[in-house]
Amino acid sequence: MMQVHHVSNLYYIPQQAQLAEWLVSTSCADKAFFCNSGAEANEGAIKLLRRHAVNRGIAEPVIITAKQSFHGRTLATITATGQPKYQENFGPLVSGFRYVTYNDEAELAAMVKEINDAREAGSAEGLAGIMLEPLQGEGGIRPGEASFFQLARKLCDESGALLVADEVQTGMGRTGKLWGHEWTGVKPDVFTSAKALGGGVPIGAMLARGEAASVLGPGDHASTYGGNPLACAAALTVADEISKDDFAMLGQVTECGEALREGLREIAEKRPGVVKDVRGWGLITGIELSEDDAVPTAGAVVGKATERGLLLVPAGLKVVRFVPPLIATVADIKKALEIFDAALGDALAEAEA
């Protein structure tokens, strides 16, 4: 290794600056903070929301997240995660979180009104922000509706709160757009990235724009290895690949994603009563199986697919998640569909036996 792979980020790191420049130039962000994982990035976002609320005179900040969300496995991020199965046996949880049903506009508006009304009545609580995934991954591959995100943006603006998009799973081209929130037509104040950002090398990022980009000052937040030369060099390589030929890879992701969902719908038509829904964006797709007890679980289907050489993962009890590499071709997708069709048949036959 001809260069140091770590140096304190108290000092100027060229690769870190280059990566930050690429991230802000390809998004709505003005500044970037680097860490090592998605959970850390979301922890940073939670701290930013709380600090911003305290600056506004709110003694007990409240953050709204969605039921069936997933934001990480640290104590604060499992609390932000609106799924009790991830929270059990880890109490007491972090205070200051409320949950609403994803894509339910009436429920979100009612929750914000409840918090704001209580504050006007003298409560120490106040709305710090709304934190959402543009598409819920662990929650069953559920794309966010544009009107829901537009309402969240409006409610945050009216309340003086901040909107956060968790892009850990949807960012870096996974959905066919560089950032998943682009599908909603809404600009968040803060968004987070990790997973694909480093192409397998651990790195996370919290990005912010406008007022939100100036909330945290020196000493408010830090990460020993965040933005180290090695991780940033890896992320820059990923960025270069995505950027090639005017972001041609995003078109390929879109084409392959459409082919995947079309093929899954054809499989569904062949097996009436087995498949409930096919949904997703780009190369993140879920096929939801019927709740009928005679239909196997997603885990059972995933197991059969693994035996046949296709790697999939469940997203809940009845949703099979497809997240192919961004470099997948239509030919790869067709092969995967053939294997999945056979694997689904295997699982159905075993369930009937």
Side-chain angles (χ1 to χ4, degrees):
M1 197 174 277
M2 301 302 293
Q3 300 180 37
V4 293
H5 65 86
H6 172 69
V7 64
S8 171
N9 51 35
L10 291 172
Y11 305 104
Y12 176 74
I13 299 171
Q15 297 91 335
Q16 183 183 116
Q18 292 162 19
L19 179 58
E21 182 179 19
W22 184 85
L23 288 168
V24 300
S25 69
T26 58
S27 73
C28 62
D30 295 318
K31 293 182 182 179
F33 169 84
F34 295 107
C35 51
N36 309 288
S37 68
E40 282 185 68
N42 285 334
E43 283 270 354
I46 290 167
K47 285 181 67 176
L48 189 153
L49 291 185
R50 286 189 165 195
R51 178 59 184 269
H52 181 258
V54 169
N55 290 350
R56 292 163 46 219
I58 296 173
E60 297 179 17
V62 175
I63 298 171
I64 297 174
T65 67
K67 297 172 185 176
Q68 299 306 307
S69 59
F70 186 83
H71 297 292
R73 294 182 185 272
T74 62
L75 194 57
T77 56
I78 63 165
T79 308
T81 293
Q83 298 196 55
K85 68 180 182 181
Y86 291 109
Q87 301 169 345
E88 292 173 0
N89 304 315
F90 295 107
L93 299 176
V94 177
S95 63
F97 288 91
R98 306 278 179 84
Y99 312 98
V100 297
T101 302
Y102 194 65
N103 283 332
D104 190 321
E105 295 175 40
E107 193 173 328
L108 176 61
M111 178 67 75
V112 172
K113 184 177 186 301
E114 177 185 323
I115 295 168
N116 287 342
D117 286 351
R119 178 158 176 76
E120 289 180 7
S123 171
E125 291 188 335
L127 184 64
I130 300 173
M131 184 175 188
L132 300 166
E133 298 160 276
L135 173 150
Q136 285 194 328
E138 293 294 320
I141 315 301
R142 301 186 185 280
E145 295 176 3
S147 59
F148 180 69
F149 275 77
Q150 289 160 7
L151 175 63
R153 175 72 277 168
K154 178 175 179 287
L155 293 170
C156 283
D157 290 343
E158 293 174 348
S159 304
L162 300 177
L163 179 62
V164 177
D166 178 344
E167 294 269 12
V168 171
Q169 188 158 182
T170 55
M172 295 298 287
R174 170 57 59 185
T175 68
K177 295 184 183 294
L178 188 58
W179 305 109
H181 64 260
E182 294 176 42
W183 286 97
T184 70
V186 167
K187 292 181 180 180
D189 300 294
V190 179
F191 68 94
T192 56
S193 179
K195 293 193 185 298
L197 180 60
V201 175
I203 186 172
M206 173 180 67
L207 298 107
R209 71 181 181 96
E211 180 187 357
S214 300
V215 171
L216 298 177
D220 285 338
H221 194 54
S223 174
T224 299
Y225 293 104
N228 69 76
L230 176 61
C232 288
L236 282 168
T237 300
V238 174
D240 287 344
E241 286 297 315
I242 292 176
S243 302
K244 276 183 180 176
D245 301 321
D246 195 24
F247 293 87
M249 182 182 287
L250 298 182
Q252 179 178 326
V253 168
T254 298
E255 180 185 6
C256 289
E258 290 172 352
L260 174 59
R261 285 182 289 281
E262 180 181 350
L264 290 173
R265 292 187 183 105
E266 291 174 358
I267 291 172
E269 289 175 2
K270 290 195 317 182
R271 302 179 186 278
V274 173
V275 176
K276 183 177 179 180
D277 192 21
V278 175
R279 54 184 178 259
W281 292 335
L283 284 178
I284 179 166
T285 292
I287 179 167
E288 184 174 4
L289 304 175
S290 168
E291 296 175 0
D292 191 323
D293 290 340
V295 175
T297 63
V301 176
V302 167
K304 294 300 182 183
T306 301
E307 291 175 5
R308 289 180 172 270
L310 176 64
L311 299 180
L312 304 171
V313 64
L317 184 64
K318 286 285 189 170
V319 179
V320 178
R321 171 171 31 187
F322 288 74
V323 280
L326 301 191
I327 58 172
T329 64
V330 172
D332 294 327
I333 297 300
K334 289 180 179 178
K335 181 63 176 177
L337 287 165
E338 292 173 4
I339 298 174
F340 177 75
D341 191 16
L344 181 57
D346 293 344
L348 285 166
E350 188 170 283
E352 293 171 0

